[in-house]
Amino acid sequence: MSSDDPLGKYKEKRDFTETPEPKGETFPKSGELIYVIQKHAARNLHYDLRLENNGVLKSWAIPKGPSLDPKVKRLAIPTEDHPMGYADFEGVIPPGNYGAGTVIVWDWGSFRNMKGDTVALSDSLDEGHATVELLGEKLRGGYALIRVKGKSPRWLFFKMKDEHAVSGSDILEESPNSVKSGKSLEQVAEQWPAELEDFS
Ligand code: MN
């Protein structure tokens, strides 16, 4: 695997004869930058935040999920860059594969770098402090990603104070299902075995 392949880690972790996940092409995209959060019932339920940067999706696993309450700061653990085609992936990663479990598209839309439309997200991330305006169906307005000093890379992800902030709300409880299909994790898991028969 070429070390300059931005999706090298993504491809190394997966056997595409086994998993229905996208194979990982990169491509430049014009226009709005993709924002997505996938809800992933792997060994532990978590939420995967992905933000488009340079033809791939920068990714973080958020164990406790996002919040609309600026007082609630959530741990976000960086994971490997994902292909752009992952943004609308919803389905079941079969047992024995990396990340085995059900994935739904919990929120999607676009985002802007609040440091400026011409500032690359990766430059903000290199500085350890990114602020983005999310234009999703569930999450809207300013969110911050702040790197925490320590041995392993960890970030905090939280709502900034603006008109979209809601203190005391639990968006995960209020709005648990997919924005793509309207389905719950359980409904996607149930539907998948039938679809798998066509997957050869
Ligand atoms: Mn995940």
Side-chain angles (χ1 to χ4, degrees):
M1 191 63 61
S2 160
S3 61
D4 57 13
D5 180 350
L7 293 172
K9 276 190 192 161
Y10 175 86
K11 292 173 188 170
E12 273 170 30
K13 289 172 185 284
R14 291 169 176 81
D15 176 353
F16 294 105
T17 64
E18 291 279 329
T19 179
E21 294 165 288
K23 288 189 186 67
E25 292 81 24
T26 56
F27 52 89
K29 186 175 162 285
S30 59
E32 293 179 334
L33 296 166
I34 291 175
Y35 144 71
V36 63
I37 291 180
Q38 278 149 325
K39 184 176 180 181
H40 185 182
R43 196 167 15 184
N44 295 304
L45 178 71
H46 61 272
Y47 294 77
D48 290 298
L49 168 68
R50 308 191 199 283
L51 298 170
E52 176 181 350
N53 182 69
N54 288 336
V56 296
L57 298 172
K58 304 301 284 179
S59 298
W60 295 259
I62 304 177
K64 291 187 175 175
S67 174
L68 304 188
D69 186 339
K71 289 194 293 295
V72 178
K73 296 181 170 58
R74 291 281 157 81
L75 181 65
I77 302 153
T79 56
E80 75 279 13
D81 293 347
H82 277 52
M84 299 277 280
Y86 211 93
D88 66 352
F89 173 72
E90 186 163 288
V92 176
I93 303 168
N97 289 274
Y98 178 70
T102 307
V103 176
I104 61 171
V105 180
W106 182 80
D107 193 22
W108 63 7
S110 61
F111 79 96
R112 289 180 48 245
N113 188 340
M114 292 174 74
K115 289 179 182 165
D117 286 328
T118 58
V119 179
L121 177 68
S122 49
D123 288 343
S124 301
L125 294 173
D126 287 346
E127 293 165 5
H129 182 282
T131 50
V132 290
E133 180 188 5
L134 300 182
L135 301 145
E137 295 186 24
K138 297 179 186 178
L139 303 192
R140 300 191 68 86
Y143 278 79
L145 268 165
I146 310 290
R147 189 164 53 211
V148 182
K149 291 195 174 71
K151 274 184 223 151
S152 54
R154 292 142 69 94
W155 296 69
L156 291 175
F157 178 70
F158 57 92
K159 182 80 195 79
M160 295 163 69
K161 287 178 188 164
D162 60 23
E163 71 272 27
H164 299 287
V166 185
S167 60
S169 93
D170 186 350
I171 186 73
L172 307 180
E173 188 82 17
E174 288 160 17
S175 195
N177 293 348
S178 167
V179 292
K180 178 181 178 182
S181 63
K183 290 178 176 153
S184 65
L185 279 167
E186 293 74 19
Q187 288 169 320
V188 168
E190 278 167 20
Q191 123 203 3
W192 199 258
E195 289 191 2
L196 261 188
E197 289 169 19
D198 299 328
F199 182 81
S200 55

